[in-house]
Amino acid sequence: MGIIITLIVGGIIGWLASIVMRTDAQQGIILNIVVGIVGAFLGNILGGMFGMGADLSTFNPIGLLWAFIGAVVLLGIINLFRRGSVR
């Protein structure tokens, strides 16, 4: 059950991040899920650097915020390599 929830939450976070970065029309649902999950790990690393990392075993709003920030950063990096600008 945890894997299904991770996929759903990752998809939602990836979708929201793609809307913010204006890449929603270029991505499908699978890429949104991947961006959301990888962004969550990246966000946890970034949060840990600032001393505000989230525990991945429990649900908390700080973890969702850092996952969203990580997904936006990931999409920015992808856009930088794809187009030469973050947008």
Side-chain angles (χ1 to χ4, degrees):
M1 194 67 176
I3 293 173
I4 294 171
I5 292 172
T6 301
L7 292 175
I8 292 171
V9 172
I12 292 170
I13 288 174
W15 174 64
L16 292 173
S18 68
I19 289 173
V20 168
M21 295 299 289
R22 296 187 209 130
T23 60
D24 191 40
Q26 303 164 0
Q27 297 180 181
I29 190 166
I30 301 297
L31 193 55
N32 280 339
I33 292 171
V34 170
V35 166
I37 292 172
V38 173
F41 287 116
L42 182 62
N44 193 29
I45 291 170
L46 289 173
M49 291 170 58
F50 293 108
M52 298 183 302
D55 185 14
L56 295 177
S57 63
T58 60
F59 178 79
N60 57 8
I62 298 293
L64 291 177
L65 177 67
W66 280 110
F68 177 73
I69 291 170
V72 169
V73 168
L74 179 65
L75 285 175
I77 292 170
I78 290 171
N79 285 340
L80 185 65
F81 284 113
R82 201 184 273 174
R83 292 190 192 99
S85 67
V86 175
R87 199 194 265 213

